[in-house]
Amino acid sequence: MAGKPQHWKERNGRYSARVVIPPQLRPYLDNRAELEIQLGGDRRTALRNHAAAVASIQRQIGIARQKHEAATGQRPKAPSYPLTAQQIALRDYQSQIDFDAELRANDSRYAQFGVDLDDAQRFRDGFAGKLSDDELEELVGARLARARLAGNTDAARGTDKWRALAQALCVSSYEALAREDERNEGDFTGKPTHPLLAEAPPIYNDEPDPITFDNIIDDEVKRRARGKNAKPLPDRTAKKYRDHCAAFAKRRKSKNALTVTAAEGKEWIESLQDAGELSNRTVKAMLQNVRTVMNWGRQNDPTNFFPAGNPLNGIKAPDFTTLPSYLRAFTMDEANLCFRRRGKRTRLCSGGYRGYAPIPGCGLAKPGISARKTSSKSVTGGSGRSRP
């Protein structure tokens, strides 16, 4: 959605920074599909803390990527979250401003010390192009390393790209020192003056917010409970849908229903069949329930939620066999055995009477005659009359 910061999530009046973890890195992060940092319910505060939260998450993912590359012997690939030098400098500037505000809020001694003018001059010489690569490395090398670890750049030292990024980070540090000096004097209205930051556009995100299976079920429960003569969705039924969706989400390692694919659904069904713990009839019911939840999602938002159609609709459901009804009823031999175990001496024959009297404990309860003691010489016939 245009106009929204990248990796920004807003739901029910709460804000957070969210970054999806690449599938190959999830084993190094407890098999989680995404990392999220809550930013609270105040939008202005959330926006101020958002850049630092995203950078923190991306560093965690960067560490996992290094472990993956070391374990597999793969060469480093292109940056996962590429940003321009201007965008990296803007994030670095905002991170330093946030850190300054945090120190002022927690320690009164911080504002009593002035800005180091020598440091400010070095940063000024840095973005002016007066410093060598070694001097830039000493000055902003740690910040360059964090940007690489976060997957924002792959600039190598000795290249023009690396030097341009180092100079941009000198700009962010110089501007942060200027804001610190202004705040020491009680002025909190200062803004960056260098064109690199003053003219930097915000980083927008075109990714839609994730929609979990639980979100869809919650919306359906609310929809059915709305109105005067509503027919609510029973709690037991809602729980069944949640359980089956949770099983599917656990298999695909993601609760985001927006990213469901037909291949994931097919692989889930086959894994349940191969495990051999559930009947094909149960597996089919689980697929149908997840498919129903996906259809609810499309009904709630047909424009953005799989407008081309439910991806699970094309999956072939498992086949299963059922026993004929006559095999599920009592046979004459089974009925005789049941009577003998109860100590009854009633004689059974193929042309016998209309039905059996209920016998406690044997499970045989066909209507036809009342429960009464009968003699061997008096059995109810097909016409309902006694015969001597």
Side-chain angles (χ1 to χ4, degrees), residues 311-331:
L312 300 183
N313 283 343
I315 300 177
K316 175 68 175 176
D319 298 321
F320 58 91
T321 59
T322 57
L323 287 174
S325 59
Y326 69 89
L327 292 179
R328 295 196 299 268
F330 279 105
T331 64

Side-chain angles (χ1 to χ4, degrees), residues 102 104 155 170 180 214 219 243 269 291 307 337 358 360 368 374 385:
E102 183 178 352
R104 292 178 188 277
C170 287
E180 180 183 341
D214 283 338
D219 291 342
D243 291 344
I269 294 302
R291 185 185 290 162
L337 179 62
T374 57
R385 295 176 298 175

Side-chain angles (χ1 to χ4, degrees), residues 5-135:
Q6 193 176 23
H7 308 301
W8 172 269
K9 178 181 177 182
E10 176 181 349
R11 185 173 292 279
N12 298 328
R14 307 290 296 180
Y15 306 97
S16 62
R18 178 192 65 88
V19 180
V20 177
I21 303 172
Q24 69 273 16
L25 303 182
R26 292 173 185 175
Y28 303 94
L29 293 167
D30 299 328
N31 286 321
R32 287 180 288 184
E34 59 185 36
L35 291 177
E36 185 173 354
I37 295 179
Q38 297 297 325
L39 302 176
D42 183 73
R43 182 178 177 85
R44 294 181 63 183
T45 303
L47 285 170
R48 187 173 63 248
N49 298 331
H50 177 259
V54 171
S56 175
I57 293 175
Q58 289 178 344
R59 281 195 292 272
Q60 295 182 57
I61 296 176
I63 294 172
R65 182 176 292 102
Q66 289 182 342
K67 293 180 180 179
H68 175 70
E69 291 170 354
T72 59
Q74 294 181 355
R75 297 180 61 184
K77 298 181 180 179
S80 302
Y81 312 102
L83 296 175
T84 65
Q86 186 182 44
Q87 292 172 327
I88 294 173
L90 181 62
R91 278 193 175 182
D92 182 67
Y93 168 79
Q94 188 60 54
S95 178
Q96 293 186 65
I97 293 299
D98 294 341
F99 186 58
D100 175 84
E102 183 178 352
L103 289 176
R104 292 178 188 277
N106 290 279
D107 195 334
S108 61
R109 297 170 294 177
Y110 171 73
Q112 298 176 7
F113 297 93
V115 173
D116 190 329
L117 297 180
D118 292 336
D119 284 347
Q121 184 61 46
R122 294 186 68 196
F123 287 125
R124 188 184 184 96
D125 291 342
F127 68 76
K130 296 180 180 181
L131 302 184
S132 65
D133 286 358
D134 290 339
E135 291 172 320

Side-chain angles (χ1 to χ4, degrees), residues 219 221-232:
D219 291 342
V221 170
K222 293 177 183 177
R223 186 191 69 81
R224 296 201 182 190
R226 190 176 294 119
K228 182 178 179 180
N229 299 322
K231 184 179 180 181

